[in-house]
Amino acid sequence: MRTELRSADLEVAQQTLDDARALVAPALRRAVDGLPESVRHVVGHHFGWWDAQGSPLPAAEAGKGFRSALALAACEAVGGDRTRALPAAVAVDLVHNASLLHDDIIDQDALRRHRPAVWSVFGMPAAILAGDALFFLTTQVLIEASAPLADAGLAHLSTAIQQLVGGEFDDILFERQREVSPAECLAMATAKTGSLLAASCALGAIAAGAEAGRVEHLRAFGEQLGTALQLVDDVLGIWGSEERTGKPRLSDLRSRKKSLPVVAALAGGGAASRRLARLYGSDGPLTEQELELVADLVEDAGGRAWAVNEAERARRDALEHLAAAHPQPGPAGALTAIARLVTARDH
């Protein structure tokens, strides 16, 4: 299933992301330049600015920049000048990348954005410390910003980071649990991914001085959009191509990850669900043939359809909250286009 993405939406979303990157990239580099040289070297490799030896890389992919773009557009949506949200945009980008540095270690993913992950090049201790440095740099960026980002914004982002960590922790715990319900897994995904997108939108609105009700609706827009994003990513983690995801095909199944489609399939109760449970719970690594079978069983047991339908529901909920914030038409169109882009990836 594919949520329809009109060419006009794609154009608006791409222009919004491009404009945001052009504004945020120099500020992000300035922030990272303040790190100790050894840490800066590792972080720059993660961002794709240079290789392991420090030689510059041409136009390396540094991520889509959804979160920073959301912060800028949310600021404009409530009538603010987007430059007021620039520290927020840099901060959420730093948090996201800090979490990626740690995630790659936790998941033992050797590739990130089609390049070797930091831990696989510099080692786990260096990757952990680089992630820690980015988390603390986030605090510094907001402290150095003017109010309200330096006070209300920092408090809001700190709460979101705790939710993100809690979601990540639950994700790890679920791997050890024999049974996890789809509702528990969905709540984990909302915390793990939705919390930072929620903070991105809320911080943008806070930077513009918006009243509490509009901040909350934009926060909820981001949270639901993040939930949809995690659902789509989990579908791609099983059925997406390496070219599209930057990771080997079937990587989530190879690591026996209890992603959202898998959890929904295991809860199905039918013959495909029972066979999937036996294979997923077996000892030893799964062969390539068994991995293909597991993917088929997840689909046969309804896991893929459930995840895609939940992603669509979350997207609808997000757009309802966006409308309730009474945004300015132009920025509202940009936020809507990004929401459609997030949930319209090829499945």
Side-chain angles (χ1 to χ4, degrees), residues 72-112:
L72 299 179
C75 180
E76 291 183 310
V78 291
D81 184 327
R82 67 202 312 249
T83 59
R84 295 176 63 182
L86 183 56
V90 171
V92 296
D93 209 351
L94 290 170
V95 171
H96 174 56
N97 281 281
S99 70
L100 294 182
L101 283 163
H102 290 172
D103 282 352
D104 287 342
I105 297 171
I106 293 168
D107 297 336
Q108 293 288 280
D109 285 332
L111 290 177
R112 168 63 61 184

PDB file of all heavy atoms in Angstrom, residues 72-112:
ATOM      1  N   LEU A  72      11.498  24.903  11.806  1.00  0.00           N
ATOM      2  CA  LEU A  72      11.421  26.178  11.084  1.00  0.00           C
ATOM      3  C   LEU A  72      10.011  26.439  10.571  1.00  0.00           C
ATOM      4  O   LEU A  72       9.482  27.553  10.697  1.00  0.00           O
ATOM      5  CB  LEU A  72      12.412  26.177   9.920  1.00  0.00           C
ATOM      6  CG  LEU A  72      13.890  26.023  10.277  1.00  0.00           C
ATOM      7  CD1 LEU A  72      14.736  26.015   9.002  1.00  0.00           C
ATOM      8  CD2 LEU A  72      14.365  27.128  11.212  1.00  0.00           C
ATOM      9  N   ALA A  73       9.387  25.407   9.979  1.00  0.00           N
ATOM     10  CA  ALA A  73       8.037  25.578   9.420  1.00  0.00           C
ATOM     11  C   ALA A  73       7.010  25.810  10.516  1.00  0.00           C
ATOM     12  O   ALA A  73       6.053  26.583  10.325  1.00  0.00           O
ATOM     13  CB  ALA A  73       7.666  24.356   8.575  1.00  0.00           C
ATOM     14  N   ALA A  74       7.176  25.152  11.668  1.00  0.00           N
ATOM     15  CA  ALA A  74       6.234  25.349  12.774  1.00  0.00           C
ATOM     16  C   ALA A  74       6.309  26.779  13.297  1.00  0.00           C
ATOM     17  O   ALA A  74       5.286  27.378  13.665  1.00  0.00           O
ATOM     18  CB  ALA A  74       6.524  24.362  13.895  1.00  0.00           C
ATOM     19  N   CYS A  75       7.513  27.331  13.326  1.00  0.00           N
ATOM     20  CA  CYS A  75       7.673  28.725  13.747  1.00  0.00           C
ATOM     21  C   CYS A  75       6.909  29.654  12.804  1.00  0.00           C
ATOM     22  O   CYS A  75       6.162  30.537  13.242  1.00  0.00           O
ATOM     23  CB  CYS A  75       9.157  29.072  13.772  1.00  0.00           C
ATOM     24  SG  CYS A  75       9.524  30.765  14.281  1.00  0.00           S
ATOM     25  N   GLU A  76       7.077  29.434  11.515  1.00  0.00           N
ATOM     26  CA  GLU A  76       6.384  30.257  10.528  1.00  0.00           C
ATOM     27  C   GLU A  76       4.880  30.025  10.559  1.00  0.00           C
ATOM     28  O   GLU A  76       4.088  30.935  10.277  1.00  0.00           O
ATOM     29  CB  GLU A  76       6.922  29.957   9.137  1.00  0.00           C
ATOM     30  CG  GLU A  76       8.354  30.429   8.915  1.00  0.00           C
ATOM     31  CD  GLU A  76       8.835  30.168   7.498  1.00  0.00           C
ATOM     32  OE1 GLU A  76       8.690  29.024   7.016  1.00  0.00           O
ATOM     33  OE2 GLU A  76       9.348  31.110   6.873  1.00  0.00           O
ATOM     34  N   ALA A  77       4.467  28.805  10.896  1.00  0.00           N
ATOM     35  CA  ALA A  77       3.040  28.463  10.898  1.00  0.00           C
ATOM     36  C   ALA A  77       2.252  29.298  11.893  1.00  0.00           C
ATOM     37  O   ALA A  77       1.056  29.557  11.695  1.00  0.00           O
ATOM     38  CB  ALA A  77       2.854  26.978  11.203  1.00  0.00           C
ATOM     39  N   VAL A  78       2.914  29.737  12.977  1.00  0.00           N
ATOM     40  CA  VAL A  78       2.222  30.557  13.969  1.00  0.00           C
ATOM     41  C   VAL A  78       2.662  32.017  13.879  1.00  0.00           C
ATOM     42  O   VAL A  78       2.520  32.794  14.826  1.00  0.00           O
ATOM     43  CB  VAL A  78       2.455  30.005  15.402  1.00  0.00           C
ATOM     44  CG1 VAL A  78       1.735  28.675  15.572  1.00  0.00           C
ATOM     45  CG2 VAL A  78       3.941  29.862  15.710  1.00  0.00           C
ATOM     46  N   GLY A  79       3.200  32.401  12.713  1.00  0.00           N
ATOM     47  CA  GLY A  79       3.482  33.802  12.450  1.00  0.00           C
ATOM     48  C   GLY A  79       4.860  34.287  12.831  1.00  0.00           C
ATOM     49  O   GLY A  79       5.123  35.495  12.804  1.00  0.00           O
ATOM     50  N   GLY A  80       5.782  33.378  13.164  1.00  0.00           N
ATOM     51  CA  GLY A  80       7.129  33.785  13.552  1.00  0.00           C
ATOM     52  C   GLY A  80       8.086  33.846  12.377  1.00  0.00           C
ATOM     53  O   GLY A  80       7.823  33.287  11.305  1.00  0.00           O
ATOM     54  N   ASP A  81       9.194  34.530  12.574  1.00  0.00           N
ATOM     55  CA  ASP A  81      10.290  34.555  11.604  1.00  0.00           C
ATOM     56  C   ASP A  81      11.105  33.284  11.801  1.00  0.00           C
ATOM     57  O   ASP A  81      11.565  33.003  12.919  1.00  0.00           O
ATOM     58  CB  ASP A  81      11.152  35.793  11.852  1.00  0.00           C
ATOM     59  CG  ASP A  81      12.271  35.946  10.823  1.00  0.00           C
ATOM     60  OD1 ASP A  81      12.791  34.920  10.341  1.00  0.00           O
ATOM     61  OD2 ASP A  81      12.634  37.095  10.513  1.00  0.00           O
ATOM     62  N   ARG A  82      11.327  32.531  10.721  1.00  0.00           N
ATOM     63  CA  ARG A  82      11.986  31.227  10.846  1.00  0.00           C
ATOM     64  C   ARG A  82      13.374  31.312  11.468  1.00  0.00           C
ATOM     65  O   ARG A  82      13.832  30.355  12.094  1.00  0.00           O
ATOM     66  CB  ARG A  82      12.065  30.554   9.474  1.00  0.00           C
ATOM     67  CG  ARG A  82      12.985  31.243   8.482  1.00  0.00           C
ATOM     68  CD  ARG A  82      12.656  30.904   7.036  1.00  0.00           C
ATOM     69  NE  ARG A  82      12.486  29.495   6.790  1.00  0.00           N
ATOM     70  CZ  ARG A  82      13.340  28.753   6.059  1.00  0.00           C
ATOM     71  NH1 ARG A  82      14.413  29.301   5.539  1.00  0.00           N
ATOM     72  NH2 ARG A  82      13.107  27.491   5.853  1.00  0.00           N
ATOM     73  N   THR A  83      14.050  32.442  11.337  1.00  0.00           N
ATOM     74  CA  THR A  83      15.392  32.552  11.914  1.00  0.00           C
ATOM     75  C   THR A  83      15.359  32.495  13.442  1.00  0.00           C
ATOM     76  O   THR A  83      16.358  32.123  14.068  1.00  0.00           O
ATOM     77  CB  THR A  83      16.079  33.854  11.465  1.00  0.00           C
ATOM     78  OG1 THR A  83      15.278  34.982  11.876  1.00  0.00           O
ATOM     79  CG2 THR A  83      16.258  33.876   9.958  1.00  0.00           C
ATOM     80  N   ARG A  84      14.216  32.836  14.032  1.00  0.00           N
ATOM     81  CA  ARG A  84      14.102  32.743  15.487  1.00  0.00           C
ATOM     82  C   ARG A  84      14.139  31.291  15.955  1.00  0.00           C
ATOM     83  O   ARG A  84      14.496  31.007  17.100  1.00  0.00           O
ATOM     84  CB  ARG A  84      12.803  33.406  15.957  1.00  0.00           C
ATOM     85  CG  ARG A  84      12.760  34.912  15.712  1.00  0.00           C
ATOM     86  CD  ARG A  84      11.428  35.519  16.107  1.00  0.00           C
ATOM     87  NE  ARG A  84      11.157  35.380  17.530  1.00  0.00           N
ATOM     88  CZ  ARG A  84      10.036  35.789  18.122  1.00  0.00           C
ATOM     89  NH1 ARG A  84       9.083  36.365  17.380  1.00  0.00           N
ATOM     90  NH2 ARG A  84       9.847  35.641  19.409  1.00  0.00           N
ATOM     91  N   ALA A  85      13.782  30.374  15.057  1.00  0.00           N
ATOM     92  CA  ALA A  85      13.764  28.948  15.399  1.00  0.00           C
ATOM     93  C   ALA A  85      15.043  28.236  14.984  1.00  0.00           C
ATOM     94  O   ALA A  85      15.143  27.023  15.128  1.00  0.00           O
ATOM     95  CB  ALA A  85      12.560  28.270  14.747  1.00  0.00           C
ATOM     96  N   LEU A  86      16.033  28.964  14.476  1.00  0.00           N
ATOM     97  CA  LEU A  86      17.261  28.317  14.015  1.00  0.00           C
ATOM     98  C   LEU A  86      17.972  27.538  15.133  1.00  0.00           C
ATOM     99  O   LEU A  86      18.402  26.404  14.907  1.00  0.00           O
ATOM    100  CB  LEU A  86      18.200  29.350  13.393  1.00  0.00           C
ATOM    101  CG  LEU A  86      19.505  28.806  12.804  1.00  0.00           C
ATOM    102  CD1 LEU A  86      19.239  27.730  11.762  1.00  0.00           C
ATOM    103  CD2 LEU A  86      20.320  29.943  12.183  1.00  0.00           C
ATOM    104  N   PRO A  87      18.119  28.106  16.354  1.00  0.00           N
ATOM    105  CA  PRO A  87      18.731  27.293  17.417  1.00  0.00           C
ATOM    106  C   PRO A  87      17.947  26.018  17.708  1.00  0.00           C
ATOM    107  O   PRO A  87      18.545  24.968  17.987  1.00  0.00           O
ATOM    108  CB  PRO A  87      18.718  28.233  18.631  1.00  0.00           C
ATOM    109  CG  PRO A  87      18.672  29.607  18.041  1.00  0.00           C
ATOM    110  CD  PRO A  87      17.824  29.484  16.815  1.00  0.00           C
ATOM    111  N   ALA A  88      16.625  26.089  17.626  1.00  0.00           N
ATOM    112  CA  ALA A  88      15.799  24.901  17.836  1.00  0.00           C
ATOM    113  C   ALA A  88      16.055  23.870  16.744  1.00  0.00           C
ATOM    114  O   ALA A  88      16.159  22.661  17.012  1.00  0.00           O
ATOM    115  CB  ALA A  88      14.322  25.285  17.865  1.00  0.00           C
ATOM    116  N   ALA A  89      16.168  24.343  15.510  1.00  0.00           N
ATOM    117  CA  ALA A  89      16.411  23.444  14.385  1.00  0.00           C
ATOM    118  C   ALA A  89      17.757  22.734  14.533  1.00  0.00           C
ATOM    119  O   ALA A  89      17.881  21.530  14.283  1.00  0.00           O
ATOM    120  CB  ALA A  89      16.357  24.219  13.067  1.00  0.00           C
ATOM    121  N   VAL A  90      18.779  23.482  14.942  1.00  0.00           N
ATOM    122  CA  VAL A  90      20.098  22.886  15.164  1.00  0.00           C
ATOM    123  C   VAL A  90      20.036  21.892  16.321  1.00  0.00           C
ATOM    124  O   VAL A  90      20.589  20.784  16.252  1.00  0.00           O
ATOM    125  CB  VAL A  90      21.144  23.976  15.446  1.00  0.00           C
ATOM    126  CG1 VAL A  90      22.472  23.363  15.900  1.00  0.00           C
ATOM    127  CG2 VAL A  90      21.358  24.848  14.210  1.00  0.00           C
ATOM    128  N   ALA A  91      19.340  22.270  17.388  1.00  0.00           N
ATOM    129  CA  ALA A  91      19.271  21.420  18.581  1.00  0.00           C
ATOM    130  C   ALA A  91      18.623  20.073  18.284  1.00  0.00           C
ATOM    131  O   ALA A  91      19.131  19.018  18.685  1.00  0.00           O
ATOM    132  CB  ALA A  91      18.511  22.143  19.688  1.00  0.00           C
ATOM    133  N   VAL A  92      17.489  20.077  17.590  1.00  0.00           N
ATOM    134  CA  VAL A  92      16.814  18.804  17.329  1.00  0.00           C
ATOM    135  C   VAL A  92      17.615  17.944  16.355  1.00  0.00           C
ATOM    136  O   VAL A  92      17.588  16.711  16.434  1.00  0.00           O
ATOM    137  CB  VAL A  92      15.363  19.014  16.833  1.00  0.00           C
ATOM    138  CG1 VAL A  92      14.524  19.686  17.920  1.00  0.00           C
ATOM    139  CG2 VAL A  92      15.309  19.815  15.533  1.00  0.00           C
ATOM    140  N   ASP A  93      18.344  18.591  15.452  1.00  0.00           N
ATOM    141  CA  ASP A  93      19.207  17.834  14.545  1.00  0.00           C
ATOM    142  C   ASP A  93      20.343  17.169  15.326  1.00  0.00           C
ATOM    143  O   ASP A  93      20.719  16.016  15.062  1.00  0.00           O
ATOM    144  CB  ASP A  93      19.778  18.760  13.470  1.00  0.00           C
ATOM    145  CG  ASP A  93      20.078  18.038  12.163  1.00  0.00           C
ATOM    146  OD1 ASP A  93      20.004  16.799  12.147  1.00  0.00           O
ATOM    147  OD2 ASP A  93      20.381  18.711  11.163  1.00  0.00           O
ATOM    148  N   LEU A  94      20.899  17.868  16.295  1.00  0.00           N
ATOM    149  CA  LEU A  94      21.956  17.301  17.129  1.00  0.00           C
ATOM    150  C   LEU A  94      21.445  16.125  17.954  1.00  0.00           C
ATOM    151  O   LEU A  94      22.116  15.086  18.067  1.00  0.00           O
ATOM    152  CB  LEU A  94      22.531  18.377  18.054  1.00  0.00           C
ATOM    153  CG  LEU A  94      23.368  19.478  17.389  1.00  0.00           C
ATOM    154  CD1 LEU A  94      23.665  20.590  18.398  1.00  0.00           C
ATOM    155  CD2 LEU A  94      24.662  18.912  16.821  1.00  0.00           C
ATOM    156  N   VAL A  95      20.265  16.277  18.544  1.00  0.00           N
ATOM    157  CA  VAL A  95      19.687  15.174  19.326  1.00  0.00           C
ATOM    158  C   VAL A  95      19.458  13.955  18.455  1.00  0.00           C
ATOM    159  O   VAL A  95      19.790  12.823  18.833  1.00  0.00           O
ATOM    160  CB  VAL A  95      18.358  15.609  19.982  1.00  0.00           C
ATOM    161  CG1 VAL A  95      17.645  14.409  20.599  1.00  0.00           C
ATOM    162  CG2 VAL A  95      18.607  16.650  21.054  1.00  0.00           C
ATOM    163  N   HIS A  96      18.898  14.180  17.285  1.00  0.00           N
ATOM    164  CA  HIS A  96      18.627  13.054  16.371  1.00  0.00           C
ATOM    165  C   HIS A  96      19.910  12.314  16.033  1.00  0.00           C
ATOM    166  O   HIS A  96      19.965  11.073  16.088  1.00  0.00           O
ATOM    167  CB  HIS A  96      17.962  13.588  15.100  1.00  0.00           C
ATOM    168  CG  HIS A  96      17.764  12.553  14.043  1.00  0.00           C
ATOM    169  ND1 HIS A  96      17.062  11.374  14.262  1.00  0.00           N
ATOM    170  CD2 HIS A  96      18.183  12.502  12.750  1.00  0.00           C
ATOM    171  CE1 HIS A  96      17.058  10.650  13.157  1.00  0.00           C
ATOM    172  NE2 HIS A  96      17.736  11.306  12.238  1.00  0.00           N
ATOM    173  N   ASN A  97      20.953  13.051  15.702  1.00  0.00           N
ATOM    174  CA  ASN A  97      22.200  12.397  15.321  1.00  0.00           C
ATOM    175  C   ASN A  97      22.903  11.756  16.503  1.00  0.00           C
ATOM    176  O   ASN A  97      23.569  10.724  16.348  1.00  0.00           O
ATOM    177  CB  ASN A  97      23.104  13.394  14.595  1.00  0.00           C
ATOM    178  CG  ASN A  97      22.690  13.587  13.151  1.00  0.00           C
ATOM    179  OD1 ASN A  97      22.998  12.770  12.291  1.00  0.00           O
ATOM    180  ND2 ASN A  97      21.948  14.662  12.880  1.00  0.00           N
ATOM    181  N   ALA A  98      22.770  12.326  17.681  1.00  0.00           N
ATOM    182  CA  ALA A  98      23.297  11.676  18.879  1.00  0.00           C
ATOM    183  C   ALA A  98      22.635  10.321  19.080  1.00  0.00           C
ATOM    184  O   ALA A  98      23.297   9.318  19.379  1.00  0.00           O
ATOM    185  CB  ALA A  98      23.064  12.565  20.102  1.00  0.00           C
ATOM    186  N   SER A  99      21.315  10.289  18.899  1.00  0.00           N
ATOM    187  CA  SER A  99      20.596   9.020  19.069  1.00  0.00           C
ATOM    188  C   SER A  99      20.986   8.003  18.005  1.00  0.00           C
ATOM    189  O   SER A  99      21.057   6.801  18.277  1.00  0.00           O
ATOM    190  CB  SER A  99      19.080   9.255  19.053  1.00  0.00           C
ATOM    191  OG  SER A  99      18.619   9.611  17.756  1.00  0.00           O
ATOM    192  N   LEU A 100      21.289   8.470  16.793  1.00  0.00           N
ATOM    193  CA  LEU A 100      21.705   7.554  15.730  1.00  0.00           C
ATOM    194  C   LEU A 100      23.055   6.917  16.051  1.00  0.00           C
ATOM    195  O   LEU A 100      23.270   5.722  15.797  1.00  0.00           O
ATOM    196  CB  LEU A 100      21.786   8.287  14.390  1.00  0.00           C
ATOM    197  CG  LEU A 100      20.485   8.808  13.792  1.00  0.00           C
ATOM    198  CD1 LEU A 100      20.759   9.466  12.439  1.00  0.00           C
ATOM    199  CD2 LEU A 100      19.458   7.704  13.640  1.00  0.00           C
ATOM    200  N   LEU A 101      23.975   7.708  16.593  1.00  0.00           N
ATOM    201  CA  LEU A 101      25.278   7.181  16.963  1.00  0.00           C
ATOM    202  C   LEU A 101      25.137   6.046  17.977  1.00  0.00           C
ATOM    203  O   LEU A 101      25.812   5.014  17.877  1.00  0.00           O
ATOM    204  CB  LEU A 101      26.153   8.294  17.541  1.00  0.00           C
ATOM    205  CG  LEU A 101      26.753   9.262  16.511  1.00  0.00           C
ATOM    206  CD1 LEU A 101      27.227  10.536  17.199  1.00  0.00           C
ATOM    207  CD2 LEU A 101      27.912   8.606  15.770  1.00  0.00           C
ATOM    208  N   HIS A 102      24.246   6.234  18.943  1.00  0.00           N
ATOM    209  CA  HIS A 102      24.018   5.201  19.948  1.00  0.00           C
ATOM    210  C   HIS A 102      23.194   4.037  19.394  1.00  0.00           C
ATOM    211  O   HIS A 102      23.461   2.872  19.716  1.00  0.00           O
ATOM    212  CB  HIS A 102      23.332   5.809  21.172  1.00  0.00           C
ATOM    213  CG  HIS A 102      24.224   6.714  21.962  1.00  0.00           C
ATOM    214  ND1 HIS A 102      23.772   7.495  23.018  1.00  0.00           N
ATOM    215  CD2 HIS A 102      25.555   6.976  21.867  1.00  0.00           C
ATOM    216  CE1 HIS A 102      24.775   8.172  23.524  1.00  0.00           C
ATOM    217  NE2 HIS A 102      25.870   7.890  22.843  1.00  0.00           N
ATOM    218  N   ASP A 103      22.194   4.342  18.566  1.00  0.00           N
ATOM    219  CA  ASP A 103      21.355   3.289  17.980  1.00  0.00           C
ATOM    220  C   ASP A 103      22.174   2.293  17.173  1.00  0.00           C
ATOM    221  O   ASP A 103      21.929   1.080  17.221  1.00  0.00           O
ATOM    222  CB  ASP A 103      20.286   3.897  17.055  1.00  0.00           C
ATOM    223  CG  ASP A 103      19.121   4.485  17.820  1.00  0.00           C
ATOM    224  OD1 ASP A 103      19.064   4.294  19.046  1.00  0.00           O
ATOM    225  OD2 ASP A 103      18.277   5.146  17.192  1.00  0.00           O
ATOM    226  N   ASP A 104      23.120   2.800  16.398  1.00  0.00           N
ATOM    227  CA  ASP A 104      23.918   1.911  15.553  1.00  0.00           C
ATOM    228  C   ASP A 104      24.728   0.922  16.391  1.00  0.00           C
ATOM    229  O   ASP A 104      24.961  -0.216  15.971  1.00  0.00           O
ATOM    230  CB  ASP A 104      24.848   2.725  14.652  1.00  0.00           C
ATOM    231  CG  ASP A 104      24.107   3.430  13.524  1.00  0.00           C
ATOM    232  OD1 ASP A 104      22.969   3.026  13.230  1.00  0.00           O
ATOM    233  OD2 ASP A 104      24.663   4.373  12.942  1.00  0.00           O
ATOM    234  N   ILE A 105      25.146   1.344  17.569  1.00  0.00           N
ATOM    235  CA  ILE A 105      25.848   0.438  18.478  1.00  0.00           C
ATOM    236  C   ILE A 105      24.883  -0.588  19.053  1.00  0.00           C
ATOM    237  O   ILE A 105      25.150  -1.794  19.062  1.00  0.00           O
ATOM    238  CB  ILE A 105      26.518   1.225  19.618  1.00  0.00           C
ATOM    239  CG1 ILE A 105      27.581   2.165  19.064  1.00  0.00           C
ATOM    240  CG2 ILE A 105      27.122   0.268  20.648  1.00  0.00           C
ATOM    241  CD1 ILE A 105      28.140   3.125  20.095  1.00  0.00           C
ATOM    242  N   ILE A 106      23.745  -0.109  19.534  1.00  0.00           N
ATOM    243  CA  ILE A 106      22.754  -0.997  20.137  1.00  0.00           C
ATOM    244  C   ILE A 106      22.291  -2.051  19.149  1.00  0.00           C
ATOM    245  O   ILE A 106      22.187  -3.244  19.480  1.00  0.00           O
ATOM    246  CB  ILE A 106      21.552  -0.172  20.645  1.00  0.00           C
ATOM    247  CG1 ILE A 106      21.977   0.725  21.813  1.00  0.00           C
ATOM    248  CG2 ILE A 106      20.407  -1.095  21.078  1.00  0.00           C
ATOM    249  CD1 ILE A 106      20.940   1.765  22.191  1.00  0.00           C
ATOM    250  N   ASP A 107      22.025  -1.621  17.913  1.00  0.00           N
ATOM    251  CA  ASP A 107      21.509  -2.534  16.893  1.00  0.00           C
ATOM    252  C   ASP A 107      22.605  -3.263  16.128  1.00  0.00           C
ATOM    253  O   ASP A 107      22.312  -4.112  15.286  1.00  0.00           O
ATOM    254  CB  ASP A 107      20.626  -1.765  15.894  1.00  0.00           C
ATOM    255  CG  ASP A 107      19.398  -1.152  16.542  1.00  0.00           C
ATOM    256  OD1 ASP A 107      18.977  -1.663  17.590  1.00  0.00           O
ATOM    257  OD2 ASP A 107      18.871  -0.159  16.007  1.00  0.00           O
ATOM    258  N   GLN A 108      23.867  -2.872  16.389  1.00  0.00           N
ATOM    259  CA  GLN A 108      24.998  -3.463  15.669  1.00  0.00           C
ATOM    260  C   GLN A 108      24.871  -3.266  14.156  1.00  0.00           C
ATOM    261  O   GLN A 108      25.234  -4.139  13.356  1.00  0.00           O
ATOM    262  CB  GLN A 108      25.139  -4.954  15.996  1.00  0.00           C
ATOM    263  CG  GLN A 108      25.542  -5.235  17.440  1.00  0.00           C
ATOM    264  CD  GLN A 108      26.995  -4.862  17.726  1.00  0.00           C
ATOM    265  OE1 GLN A 108      27.914  -5.602  17.401  1.00  0.00           O
ATOM    266  NE2 GLN A 108      27.198  -3.706  18.344  1.00  0.00           N
ATOM    267  N   ASP A 109      24.350  -2.113  13.764  1.00  0.00           N
ATOM    268  CA  ASP A 109      24.245  -1.771  12.347  1.00  0.00           C
ATOM    269  C   ASP A 109      25.569  -1.178  11.881  1.00  0.00           C
ATOM    270  O   ASP A 109      26.015  -0.144  12.402  1.00  0.00           O
ATOM    271  CB  ASP A 109      23.119  -0.757  12.109  1.00  0.00           C
ATOM    272  CG  ASP A 109      21.742  -1.391  12.189  1.00  0.00           C
ATOM    273  OD1 ASP A 109      21.633  -2.601  11.889  1.00  0.00           O
ATOM    274  OD2 ASP A 109      20.788  -0.689  12.545  1.00  0.00           O
ATOM    275  N   ALA A 110      26.180  -1.819  10.907  1.00  0.00           N
ATOM    276  CA  ALA A 110      27.501  -1.383  10.435  1.00  0.00           C
ATOM    277  C   ALA A 110      27.422  -0.289   9.375  1.00  0.00           C
ATOM    278  O   ALA A 110      28.445   0.296   9.019  1.00  0.00           O
ATOM    279  CB  ALA A 110      28.285  -2.574   9.886  1.00  0.00           C
ATOM    280  N   LEU A 111      26.212  -0.020   8.863  1.00  0.00           N
ATOM    281  CA  LEU A 111      26.039   1.013   7.838  1.00  0.00           C
ATOM    282  C   LEU A 111      25.078   2.088   8.322  1.00  0.00           C
ATOM    283  O   LEU A 111      24.086   1.809   8.989  1.00  0.00           O
ATOM    284  CB  LEU A 111      25.493   0.413   6.536  1.00  0.00           C
ATOM    285  CG  LEU A 111      26.409  -0.489   5.717  1.00  0.00           C
ATOM    286  CD1 LEU A 111      25.657  -1.038   4.527  1.00  0.00           C
ATOM    287  CD2 LEU A 111      27.648   0.279   5.256  1.00  0.00           C
ATOM    288  N   ARG A 112      25.393   3.316   7.953  1.00  0.00           N
ATOM    289  CA  ARG A 112      24.499   4.442   8.224  1.00  0.00           C
ATOM    290  C   ARG A 112      24.585   5.360   7.014  1.00  0.00           C
ATOM    291  O   ARG A 112      25.651   5.832   6.663  1.00  0.00           O
ATOM    292  CB  ARG A 112      24.952   5.173   9.502  1.00  0.00           C
ATOM    293  CG  ARG A 112      24.291   6.526   9.751  1.00  0.00           C
ATOM    294  CD  ARG A 112      22.808   6.434   9.959  1.00  0.00           C
ATOM    295  NE  ARG A 112      22.451   5.613  11.112  1.00  0.00           N
ATOM    296  CZ  ARG A 112      21.189   5.330  11.422  1.00  0.00           C
ATOM    297  NH1 ARG A 112      20.204   5.798  10.670  1.00  0.00           N
ATOM    298  NH2 ARG A 112      20.925   4.561  12.454  1.00  0.00           N
TER     299      ARG A 112
END
